[in-house]
Amino acid sequence: MKLESVRGMRDILPEEAVLWQRLEGEIRALFALYGYKEIRPPVVEPAELFARGVGEATDIVHKEMYVFPDKKGQMLALRPEATASVVRAYIEHGLYAKGDLAKLYYLGPMFRYEKPQKGRQRQFHQYGVEALGSLDPALDAEVIDLAWHLMERVGLSREGLFLRLNSIGCREDRPAYREALRAHFSARREELCADCQRRLAENPLRILDCKEPQCQEAIAAAPKSLDYLCPSCRAHFEELLSLLGDLGLAYTLDPRLVRGIDYYTRTVFELCSRELGAQDALLGGGRYDDLVEVLGGPPTPGVGFAGGMERLVLVLSQRQPLDAAAPDLDAYVVPIGAEARRKALELLAQLRRRGVAADLDYLGRSLRKAMSVAARRARYALLLGPDELAQGRLTLKDLRTGQSSSLFLGEFLANPRAFLA
Ligand code: AMP
């Protein structure tokens, strides 16, 4: 049997990993600017966490979750998302007891058994923030500002993006809205796909997530959640819109946007790319004011978002193809002769301790071949031959200009950066 990676789970090879590292660095730095601290929950959780948090009737839990028993028969899941995990950790470690707002962020792999396609994998990576402890619409605005800011920071212009925004109200508003949806879809039951007929009984809100062409007409005519908001949810939403206006952040009201997860309340949003085709959502989020309580903690509102790393990498590499040939080293050490090689190994160790990215040939290449590797991988070649050894020197060759200079080893090592511009 030929061993290959599992369908929908891919290797991120070194040339692409460079872009991932840059993005992860930008994301961490930006989250820190907004006062978020990293949390790293485990990848495996009790399956029940997601059944209760994300919702039994969601596609994520109902169809896509990787669930398996451990050796004692406890049902575990590979996490399909991280909000439920972060909230579990928040409750388990009593983070609410500090009486402060908890601002947490995470980065890491998630797992969903979906149909793999462009922008959709079975193992994918999310970055996300969660702010727990305040109902202030200014926090919703901050999270949306952070989402826009992140895209600007990684180099995506506002023109190529749009924000879909909606409010789906609180749990008091939900029964009336759910009944309105149930009445609407029951009357058009015959038009709905088999999944939506099930959703009609379980949670008609989930019908609004359906992508099946046959359901779209009924969905387009469905009642809008904005028409079912209580005065407090309406005021919250209006304040959010006004704050977004103050911050100059564009949005498009989308009455169909409910997001495929049960825990959302009030604000929901998605930041989408015009360049991605069907899977256009770069990130999505909203409020989840009941989730902490549902998972066994004290009533605590929350708001956050999660974005897909793969989709960010996709838009960015569509614009600027990955450069596999980019030099990755400052210096390539090229010894000539066995004695010089011993000295070169010592030089290499010292250079690396001084923060210089350096390497040499381990494949017994000829001088000519070693120089061609140097030209491809590094900015400078450091040549060590019998003459250099005898004089305690090395030859520094600038591989861009072709210029060489002879330096004393001691002088060079005292401050190599001064010579490696
Ligand atoms: P969700 O957790 O479903 O709200 O998704 C948040 C974001 O994660 C989406 O906007 C996507 O960017 C990304 N995402 C979700 N599912 C996948 C997947 N199967 N493959 C790649 N990215 C995904």
Side-chain angles (χ1 to χ4, degrees):
M1 177 186 152
K2 196 162 135 207
L3 285 175
E4 288 179 345
S5 66
V6 172
R7 184 165 136 81
M9 306 199 183
R10 46 179 212 102
D11 299 304
I12 297 157
L13 296 176
E15 69 187 61
E16 193 185 322
V18 172
L19 177 56
W20 281 70
Q21 286 172 2
R22 173 173 85 76
L23 290 175
E24 286 162 0
E26 303 268 16
I27 289 168
R28 285 175 194 283
L30 191 67
F31 287 174
L33 276 187
Y34 282 67
Y36 288 83
K37 297 201 174 106
E38 187 177 8
I39 180 163
R40 300 188 186 202
V43 167
V44 173
E45 295 275 8
E48 195 197 335
L49 172 64
F50 303 106
R52 268 165 64 187
V54 174
E56 293 273 17
T58 60
D59 278 359
I60 294 180
V61 171
H62 186 80
K63 293 190 195 162
E64 298 165 1
M65 199 153 73
Y66 285 86
V67 183
F68 55 96
D70 69 6
K71 289 193 191 295
K72 288 200 167 155
Q74 189 194 357
M75 292 311 284
L76 304 178
L78 293 182
R79 64 179 180 195
E81 61 106 57
T83 302
S85 297
V86 171
V87 169
R88 186 217 19 86
Y90 174 83
I91 299 168
E92 189 171 330
H93 302 287
L95 301 184
Y96 51 85
K98 302 201 173 111
D100 205 356
L101 188 67
K103 286 176 126 184
L104 303 166
Y105 82 82
Y106 58 84
L107 289 170
M110 311 292 156
F111 304 84
R112 294 182 197 170
Y113 196 82
E114 294 190 88
K115 194 162 175 241
Q117 54 188 281
K118 186 181 165 199
R120 175 170 283 173
Q121 289 80 36
R122 290 182 175 170
Q123 174 179 313
F124 59 101
H125 298 74
Q126 283 186 335
Y127 54 89
V129 293
E130 315 292 355
L132 291 141
S134 167
L135 201 53
D136 189 344
L139 201 54
D140 307 39
E142 184 191 91
V143 163
I144 292 175
D145 175 54
L146 172 53
W148 274 113
H149 191 167
L150 177 63
M151 297 307 152
E152 288 162 27
R153 185 160 174 151
V154 301
L156 295 177
S157 68
R158 287 194 182 191
E159 293 71 53
L161 305 167
F162 58 100
L163 182 88
R164 303 165 68 206
L165 183 64
N166 193 17
S167 173
I168 54 172
C170 61
R171 64 179 152 192
E172 274 76 44
D173 308 340
R174 199 60 56 79
Y177 182 48
R178 197 177 285 144
E179 276 327 301
L181 287 175
R182 191 166 277 137
H184 168 79
F185 287 118
S186 298
R188 306 179 68 149
R189 196 187 163 86
E190 303 313 311
E191 288 173 45
L192 302 177
C193 70
D195 269 343
C196 281
Q197 299 199 5
R198 169 181 60 80
R199 290 172 182 134
L200 187 54
E202 288 176 357
N203 183 357
L205 231 82
R206 297 277 69 87
I207 297 177
L208 301 179
D209 303 324
C210 183
K211 298 281 179 288
E212 286 298 319
Q214 74 182 86
C215 301
Q216 297 314 307
E217 231 174 84
I219 290 175
K224 298 175 180 159
S225 56
L226 284 179
D227 296 330
Y228 292 80
L229 299 186
C230 63
S232 141
C233 287
R234 179 169 307 285
H236 182 101
F237 195 55
E238 277 166 9
E239 177 66 3
L240 170 61
L241 298 187
S242 137
L243 290 166
L244 293 179
D246 291 351
L247 293 172
L249 299 173
Y251 56 82
T252 313
L253 291 185
D254 182 344
R256 278 349 119 194
L257 182 69
V258 287
R259 320 253 314 109
I261 298 178
D262 281 355
Y263 55 59
Y264 284 115
T265 50
R266 296 195 175 89
T267 314
V268 285
F269 62 90
E270 270 179 10
L271 191 55
C272 302
S273 162
R274 299 186 200 283
E275 298 163 36
L276 272 184
Q279 308 302 321
D280 65 351
L282 287 170
L283 60 81
R287 278 208 158 266
Y288 44 88
D289 295 331
D290 303 325
L291 183 59
V292 179
E293 209 180 341
V294 165
L295 295 179
T300 313
V303 58
F305 68 69
M309 285 294 294
E310 281 79 1
R311 296 203 189 157
L312 211 49
V313 166
L314 202 62
V315 239
L316 289 169
S317 48
Q318 257 171 218
R319 309 177 129 222
Q320 192 174 19
L322 297 169
D323 184 3
D328 60 326
L329 299 173
D330 300 313
Y332 201 76
V333 182
V334 183
I336 305 154
E339 205 187 325
R341 190 159 198 277
R342 292 201 78 88
K343 189 76 192 161
L345 291 171
E346 206 186 306
L347 171 65
L348 196 58
Q350 287 172 327
L351 281 175
R352 289 166 173 165
R353 276 171 182 70
R354 285 165 178 72
V356 175
D359 212 345
L360 58 54
D361 171 51
Y362 288 99
L363 300 175
R365 288 190 173 101
S366 67
L367 173 62
R368 193 178 55 78
K369 287 218 173 109
M371 284 305 286
S372 87
V373 174
R376 184 156 42 80
R377 292 199 51 199
R379 176 70 214 285
Y380 294 92
L382 303 178
L383 290 135
L384 274 179
D387 291 351
E388 280 91 351
L389 270 194
Q391 299 168 18
R393 287 174 168 270
L394 61 77
T395 300
L396 174 78
K397 180 166 182 182
D398 184 327
L399 294 163
R400 228 181 272 162
T401 63
Q403 272 181 351
S404 292
S405 47
S406 174
L407 302 169
F408 280 110
L409 259 173
E411 188 192 354
F412 174 66
L413 277 174
N415 185 9
R417 283 271 158 224
F419 302 93
L420 307 171

